[in-house]
């Protein structure tokens, strides 16, 4: 399966590869998760060119044991801000390890805009990609970037100013 089971997330650290999808990637589905770092929470690291472009997945324990320059690279650099195949980047999963680093914006990065009610009456997150912000007026962009979203759903998704660090000019996570 593409999504780790509870047994897989508490197992010893391993490298997982996921075959690439043929179509455009959609944001991961929302599963209630705590917004704190778990040792074995998995994140999308990169696509391996050498192995048929498979997704390489690692966990926060693995990241925390890398040298400082590698941690900074995986938490900060645009090319590692992958929102794909059911996984989020280290910057959105490994909160403690990545706390000291700014985040370079990737246009496919996903932020929470707010919540809405589903057809079944459940509260669900309203998600957007950073590239969505380019279509907004200056006034609406400022409004979205300044919005602090409070939700009852536990999530790893950040608000626009945390994720879209280039577009939201007043972002505290901007590089």
């Amino acid at each position: 399966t593409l999504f780790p089971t509870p047994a897989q997330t508490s197992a010893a650290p391993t490298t997982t590869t996921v075959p690439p999808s043929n179509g455009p990637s959609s944001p991961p589905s929302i599963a209630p998760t705590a917004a704190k770092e778990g040792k074995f929470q998995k994140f999308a690291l990169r696509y391996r060119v050498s192995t048929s472009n498979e997704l390489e997945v690692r966990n926060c324990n693995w990241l925390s044991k890398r040298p400082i320059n590698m941690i900074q690279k995986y938490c900060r650099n645009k090319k590692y801000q992958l929102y794909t195949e059911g996984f989020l980047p280290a910057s959105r999963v490994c909160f403690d390890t990545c706390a000291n680093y700014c985040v370079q914006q990737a246009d496919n990065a996903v932020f929470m805009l707010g919540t809405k009610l589903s057809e079944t009456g459940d509260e669900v997150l309203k998600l957007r990609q950073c590239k969505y912000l380019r279509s907004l007026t200056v006034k609406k962009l400022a409004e979205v970037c300044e919005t602090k979203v409070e939700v009852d759903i536990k999530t790893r998704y950040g608000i626009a100013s945390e994720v879209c660090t280039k577009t939201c000019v007043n972002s505290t996570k901007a590089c």
Side-chain angles (χ1 to χ4, degrees):
T1 64
L2 294 179
F3 298 94
T5 64
Q8 291 170 321
T9 58
S10 61
T14 59
T15 300
T16 306
T17 55
V18 180
S21 60
N22 291 333
S25 169
S26 60
S29 61
I30 304 304
T33 56
K36 65 180 189 173
E37 182 169 317
K39 232 172 128 171
F40 298 110
Q41 288 180 320
K42 295 184 178 187
F43 63 90
L45 179 63
R46 63 181 157 220
Y47 281 100
R48 288 186 183 185
V49 177
S50 63
T51 58
S52 304
N53 208 29
E54 289 182 344
L55 178 64
E56 184 177 350
V57 175
R58 296 290 184 148
N59 63 43
C60 296
N61 187 48
W62 175 88
L63 181 63
S64 69
K65 293 179 179 183
R66 301 298 85 171
I68 296 292
N69 65 325
M70 298 301 283
I71 293 172
Q72 180 179 359
K73 178 171 90 170
Y74 296 139
C75 292
R76 174 183 192 270
N77 291 1
K78 180 179 178 176
K79 81 181 232 180
Y80 296 105
Q81 300 306 310
L82 298 177
Y83 289 74
T84 185
E85 301 186 32
F87 295 98
L88 299 172
S91 63
R92 298 303 320 151
V93 177
C94 305
F95 291 104
D96 298 334
T97 304
C98 293
N100 295 327
Y101 305 106
C102 63
V103 178
Q104 293 177 343
Q105 176 180 314
D107 277 347
N108 72 337
V110 178
F111 68 94
M112 62 180 169
L113 185 60
T115 61
K116 62 182 177 182
L117 291 178
S118 70
E119 292 176 7
T120 61
D122 296 325
E123 183 181 33
V124 295
L125 291 177
K126 198 175 352 176
L127 302 174
R128 296 288 185 271
Q129 291 183 319
C130 291
K131 62 185 170 187
Y132 157 80
L133 296 174
R134 291 192 301 244
S135 68
L136 302 179
T137 64
V138 173
K139 182 179 178 181
K140 183 66 176 171
L141 174 63
E143 183 182 306
V144 170
C145 290
E146 293 169 7
T147 299
K148 304 290 183 217
V149 179
E150 293 187 29
V151 296
D152 292 331
I153 302 169
K154 292 182 181 176
T155 180
R156 293 183 195 151
Y157 289 101
I159 57 175
S161 63
E162 295 171 335
V163 177
C164 306
T165 57
K166 182 178 177 183
T167 307
C168 292
V169 293
N170 294 328
S171 174
T172 58
K173 295 294 277 182
C175 295

